[in-house]
Amino acid sequence: MEKAKVYFTDFRTSSDENLLQKLKRLLATAGMDTIDFTNQYVAIKLHFGEPGNLAYVRPNYVRAVAEFIQDLGGKPFLTDCNTLYVGGRKNAVDHMMAAEMNGFNTITTGCPVIIGDGLKGTDDVEVPIVGGQYLQTARIGRAVMDADIVISLNHFKGHEMTGFGGAMKNLGMGCGSRAGKMAMHNAGKPNTTDDCVGCGSCQKICAHDAPQLQDNGKMFIDHDKCVGCGRCIGVCPVDAIVSPHDETCEILDGKIAEYTKAVVDGRPHFHITLVNSVSPNCDCHAENDAPIVPDVGMFASFDPVAIDKACCDAVLAQPRLQNTWIDDHGDPSIEDVFTASHPNTNWRGQIDHGVKIGLGTDQYELIRI
């Protein structure tokens, strides 16, 4: 495979051009305007940020991307799928409130927010994964799959399970429905906790008779019957049904790459990554720790693997900042900041598997504007 083109610009500005104007120039130079957006539904996939986290992409940048698409005749909408964990974005009501609270609405961004997998994270489509090694199909949020074009707008950061989060993490894990997220994180079989009150809501929603009431008045999920749809998680009124998150980091990386391939296969896609406020953990945290490296710049490419590799290389080339997560919770003796932040992860996993399954290439030409 020939080298992919990855376009880059730093965060320097002048009196003649602000950062939002510079971002639009980056998109045009990278060729995003060669996509035919005319009357096409365009999913701008981003992370709205868990309430309390401040490291996510600012709505100002999102509006610039939306305007770029609208000027070319497209119909953009902002989207993300509900979370598997219990937090501020576990259903569409809470998720949209979180988006509003963090500044994402039609006034600030110029386009609507549509939660990709519906009210309770169960509105999904089963999509084939061509060349999948770990999975043959992916459960993707229906609104994401209904779109004609997919644009990933990514905040680059470290991650406690995958080493880093970029385009593939945003698309692969982010576009998975609740059942999809379970399939990536584990074998897709949830469990009940001691918080269960035995109300039977999970039993009523299950089509496979997997939840069973025990003598102690609590529910038990029979994994032999469970199909991993995740509906029980969505209906539990006390959040007593959880995913075990027992998949290895290596396999999780591979599954994320395979889900990304399911999302982008067969339709136009483009990827934009902002490497700033590079926190050590995912934006799913209800807080963001101090950046581990200085701000780098903005990247754009048609190749999700190449842009992730370029961002990783750029971050690894930066001087490490002092008084960060690495000093308190990581291993300061390790040179690369991803492994230093989370020594049990392998940040190359997503990239290597993405190359293996034909999602993209890790060989790129960096073009600076």
Side-chain angles (χ1 to χ4, degrees), residues 11 26 55 74 76 83 121 124 138 166 188 203 215 239 289 293 296 304 344 360 366:
F11 286 116
L26 173 69
T83 61
D124 59 15
Q203 197 170 44
D215 293 339
D239 298 324
D289 211 315
V293 297
V296 178
N344 293 324
L366 188 66

Side-chain angles (χ1 to χ4, degrees), residues 116-135:
D117 58 346
L119 181 61
K120 297 179 179 178
T122 58
D123 188 13
D124 59 15
V125 179
E126 189 169 11
V127 182
I129 302 173
V130 179
Q133 175 181 331
Y134 298 108
L135 300 165

Side-chain angles (χ1 to χ4, degrees), residues 84 181-182 185-186 188-191 233 241-246:
L84 181 58
K181 288 180 172 66
M182 283 203 298
H185 275 296
N186 55 81
K189 310 291 185 179
N191 297 311
I233 298 177
I241 304 178
V242 297
S243 163
H245 284 61
D246 58 0

